[in-house]
Amino acid sequence: NNKGDILGWEFEMGLDNYVQEINKKKKMDLKLYLIPKEVLQVKDPVKEEVKFYEMPYLEIDVKTQKDGAVEIKLKDFMLFNQEDIPEEVRKKIKKFSDYIDYWSIDFDYKDAYHNGWQSFRSKKHPNLDIQTKHTYPKKGVYKIFVKVVDIFGNDVNKLVETKA
Protein backbone atom coordinates (compact mmCIF):
# COMPACT_ATOMS: atom_id res chain seq x y z
CA ASN A 1 0.00 0.00 0.00
CA ASN A 2 1.48 3.36 -1.06
CA LYS A 3 -0.87 5.56 0.95
CA GLY A 4 -0.42 7.15 4.34
CA ASP A 5 -1.81 9.94 6.47
CA ILE A 6 0.38 12.04 8.75
CA LEU A 7 -1.39 13.76 11.67
CA GLY A 8 0.07 16.73 13.50
CA TRP A 9 -0.77 19.80 15.56
CA GLU A 10 1.56 21.75 13.30
CA PHE A 11 4.28 20.79 10.86
CA GLU A 12 7.93 21.69 10.41
CA MET A 13 8.65 24.35 7.83
CA GLY A 14 8.94 22.89 4.35
CA LEU A 15 7.52 19.48 5.31
CA ASP A 16 4.72 19.83 2.76
CA ASN A 17 7.30 20.36 -0.01
CA TYR A 18 9.25 17.33 1.20
CA VAL A 19 6.11 15.16 1.26
CA GLN A 20 5.29 16.24 -2.33
CA GLU A 21 8.82 15.21 -3.40
CA ILE A 22 8.46 11.82 -1.71
CA ASN A 23 5.08 11.31 -3.38
CA LYS A 24 6.63 11.97 -6.82
CA LYS A 25 9.87 10.02 -6.36
CA LYS A 26 8.44 7.00 -4.55
CA LYS A 27 5.01 7.06 -6.26
CA MET A 28 3.27 7.37 -2.93
CA ASP A 29 0.18 9.16 -1.66
CA LEU A 30 1.12 10.71 1.67
CA LYS A 31 -1.13 13.46 3.05
CA LEU A 32 -0.68 15.86 5.95
CA TYR A 33 -3.69 16.37 8.23
CA LEU A 34 -4.00 18.97 10.95
CA ILE A 35 -5.34 17.79 14.30
CA PRO A 36 -8.12 20.25 15.10
CA LYS A 37 -8.11 22.14 18.39
CA GLU A 38 -11.61 20.77 19.05
CA VAL A 39 -10.03 17.37 19.79
CA LEU A 40 -9.08 18.68 23.22
CA GLN A 41 -12.72 19.50 23.98
CA VAL A 42 -14.16 16.07 23.09
CA LYS A 43 -15.70 14.45 26.14
CA ASP A 44 -16.97 11.25 24.54
CA PRO A 45 -15.02 10.21 21.41
CA VAL A 46 -17.54 7.44 20.68
CA LYS A 47 -20.42 9.94 20.35
CA GLU A 48 -18.61 13.03 19.06
CA GLU A 49 -17.10 13.02 15.59
CA VAL A 50 -13.87 14.93 15.08
CA LYS A 51 -12.90 15.84 11.52
CA PHE A 52 -9.28 16.06 10.45
CA TYR A 53 -8.56 18.45 7.59
CA GLU A 54 -5.89 18.00 4.97
CA MET A 55 -3.33 20.78 4.82
CA PRO A 56 -4.42 23.42 2.31
CA TYR A 57 -2.55 23.65 -0.99
CA LEU A 58 -0.52 26.84 -1.37
CA GLU A 59 1.41 27.87 -4.45
CA ILE A 60 3.51 31.02 -4.63
CA ASP A 61 5.59 32.54 -7.39
CA VAL A 62 8.89 34.25 -6.62
CA LYS A 63 10.61 36.29 -9.33
CA THR A 64 14.00 37.81 -8.63
CA GLN A 65 15.05 40.83 -10.64
CA LYS A 66 18.56 42.06 -11.49
CA ASP A 67 18.33 45.07 -9.16
CA GLY A 68 18.01 42.84 -6.08
CA ALA A 69 14.24 43.14 -5.93
CA VAL A 70 12.00 40.15 -5.52
CA GLU A 71 8.33 39.91 -6.47
CA ILE A 72 6.20 37.46 -4.52
CA LYS A 73 2.76 36.50 -5.72
CA LEU A 74 0.12 34.10 -4.45
CA LYS A 75 -0.64 31.81 -7.41
CA ASP A 76 -3.08 29.34 -5.90
CA PHE A 77 -4.67 28.31 -2.63
CA MET A 78 -7.07 25.44 -2.16
CA LEU A 79 -8.91 23.89 0.76
CA PHE A 80 -9.37 20.16 0.27
CA ASN A 81 -12.49 19.57 2.35
CA GLN A 82 -14.91 21.53 0.16
CA GLU A 83 -17.91 19.53 1.37
CA ASP A 84 -17.39 20.88 4.89
CA ILE A 85 -17.51 24.52 3.81
CA PRO A 86 -20.98 25.98 4.45
CA GLU A 87 -23.02 26.50 1.28
CA GLU A 88 -23.45 30.25 1.94
CA VAL A 89 -19.65 30.61 2.08
CA ARG A 90 -19.09 28.50 -1.07
CA LYS A 91 -21.50 30.71 -3.02
CA LYS A 92 -19.37 33.79 -2.25
CA ILE A 93 -16.10 32.23 -3.42
CA LYS A 94 -15.21 33.50 -6.91
CA LYS A 95 -11.41 33.10 -6.91
CA PHE A 96 -8.79 31.26 -4.83
CA SER A 97 -7.87 34.38 -2.84
CA ASP A 98 -11.43 34.54 -1.46
CA TYR A 99 -10.41 31.67 0.86
CA ILE A 100 -7.58 33.76 2.31
CA ASP A 101 -8.14 36.21 5.15
CA TYR A 102 -4.54 37.24 5.77
CA TRP A 103 -1.04 36.60 4.52
CA SER A 104 2.36 37.87 5.55
CA ILE A 105 6.01 37.52 4.57
CA ASP A 106 9.35 37.34 6.33
CA PHE A 107 11.77 38.30 3.54
CA ASP A 108 14.88 37.15 5.44
CA TYR A 109 13.79 34.15 7.50
CA LYS A 110 16.43 32.75 9.84
CA ASP A 111 15.33 30.92 13.00
CA ALA A 112 12.25 32.90 13.97
CA TYR A 113 9.50 34.49 11.94
CA HIS A 114 9.56 38.31 11.62
CA ASN A 115 6.66 39.89 9.80
CA GLY A 116 8.05 42.19 7.11
CA TRP A 117 4.89 42.71 5.08
CA GLN A 118 1.22 41.74 5.29
CA SER A 119 -2.11 42.00 3.53
CA PHE A 120 -5.44 41.36 5.21
CA ARG A 121 -9.10 42.07 4.70
CA SER A 122 -10.95 44.81 6.52
CA LYS A 123 -14.22 46.68 6.02
CA LYS A 124 -12.35 49.56 4.37
CA HIS A 125 -10.13 47.20 2.32
CA PRO A 126 -12.17 44.04 1.49
CA ASN A 127 -9.86 42.93 -1.33
CA LEU A 128 -6.67 41.08 -0.60
CA ASP A 129 -3.42 42.14 -2.27
CA ILE A 130 -2.02 38.94 -3.81
CA GLN A 131 1.45 40.23 -4.67
CA THR A 132 4.16 42.47 -3.33
CA LYS A 133 7.71 43.52 -4.11
CA HIS A 134 10.73 43.78 -1.84
CA THR A 135 14.26 45.02 -2.55
CA TYR A 136 17.16 43.48 -0.64
CA PRO A 137 19.89 45.86 0.58
CA LYS A 138 22.72 43.58 -0.57
CA LYS A 139 23.29 40.55 -2.76
CA GLY A 140 22.98 37.13 -1.23
CA VAL A 141 20.81 34.07 -0.71
CA TYR A 142 17.65 34.71 1.29
CA LYS A 143 14.94 32.48 2.71
CA ILE A 144 11.43 33.81 2.23
CA PHE A 145 8.77 32.61 4.66
CA VAL A 146 5.15 33.06 3.56
CA LYS A 147 2.33 32.59 6.09
CA VAL A 148 -1.28 32.33 4.90
CA VAL A 149 -4.34 32.27 7.18
CA ASP A 150 -7.59 31.09 5.63
CA ILE A 151 -11.10 32.38 6.34
CA PHE A 152 -11.55 29.68 9.00
CA GLY A 153 -8.44 30.70 10.96
CA ASN A 154 -6.20 27.84 9.83
CA ASP A 155 -2.71 28.65 8.63
CA VAL A 156 -0.30 27.16 6.13
CA ASN A 157 3.29 28.24 5.54
CA LYS A 158 5.73 28.05 2.67
CA LEU A 159 9.49 28.49 2.79
CA VAL A 160 11.40 29.28 -0.42
CA GLU A 161 14.93 30.38 -1.15
CA THR A 162 15.93 33.15 -3.54
CA LYS A 163 19.20 34.70 -4.72
CA ALA A 164 19.14 38.47 -4.88
Side-chain angles (χ1 to χ4, degrees):
N1 186 353
N2 293 6
K3 292 183 175 189
D5 296 332
I6 302 167
L7 302 175
W9 297 105
E10 60 183 80
F11 295 105
E12 182 67 32
M13 214 52 53
L15 182 62
D16 54 335
N17 293 338
Y18 183 63
V19 167
Q20 288 174 12
E21 284 179 34
I22 291 172
N23 284 341
K24 283 181 188 173
K25 287 181 183 176
K26 304 287 185 183
K27 296 182 179 156
M28 297 185 71
D29 186 18
L30 296 175
K31 293 181 181 171
L32 300 174
Y33 285 88
L34 293 170
I35 299 171
K37 295 172 186 87
E38 295 81 34
V39 146
L40 299 173
Q41 299 166 353
V42 172
K43 292 181 171 92
D44 187 352
V46 175
K47 293 180 182 176
E48 297 179 58
E49 181 182 2
V50 176
K51 292 186 180 186
F52 293 83
Y53 296 102
E54 190 172 347
M55 287 277 292
Y57 171 77
L58 171 63
E59 185 179 349
I60 59 172
D61 187 35
V62 178
K63 290 184 181 168
T64 306
Q65 299 162 354
K66 290 180 183 178
D67 64 354
V70 65
E71 187 176 284
I72 301 164
K73 180 179 182 180
L74 294 176
K75 283 188 73 177
D76 199 7
F77 183 80
M78 183 172 58
L79 300 174
F80 288 104
N81 300 77
Q82 294 288 316
E83 66 278 358
D84 293 325
I85 298 172
E87 184 63 31
E88 64 272 10
V89 173
R90 270 190 273 164
K91 286 179 182 178
K92 294 178 183 177
I93 303 297
K94 304 293 183 222
K95 56 193 177 300
F96 78 85
S97 60
D98 292 342
Y99 287 114
I100 300 170
D101 201 31
Y102 165 92
W103 72 295
S104 61
I105 303 170
D106 180 343
F107 294 101
D108 190 14
Y109 178 78
K110 298 220 180 356
D111 294 324
Y113 177 79
H114 299 284
N115 187 344
W117 178 90
Q118 63 190 9
S119 178
F120 56 91
R121 298 178 191 285
S122 68
K123 287 184 180 184
K124 289 183 180 179
H125 187 69
N127 294 322
L128 193 72
D129 297 323
I130 63 166
Q131 70 182 39
T132 190
K133 193 173 181 179
H134 176 76
T135 302
Y136 289 100
K138 60 183 180 178
K139 292 186 179 214
V141 176
Y142 295 91
K143 289 182 180 177
I144 299 170
F145 182 106
V146 176
K147 176 185 278 295
V148 174
V149 178
D150 69 26
I151 58 176
F152 302 106
N154 304 308
D155 68 320
V156 63
N157 306 312
K158 195 91 156 175
L159 185 64
V160 295
E161 208 169 83
T162 191
K163 189 174 183 178

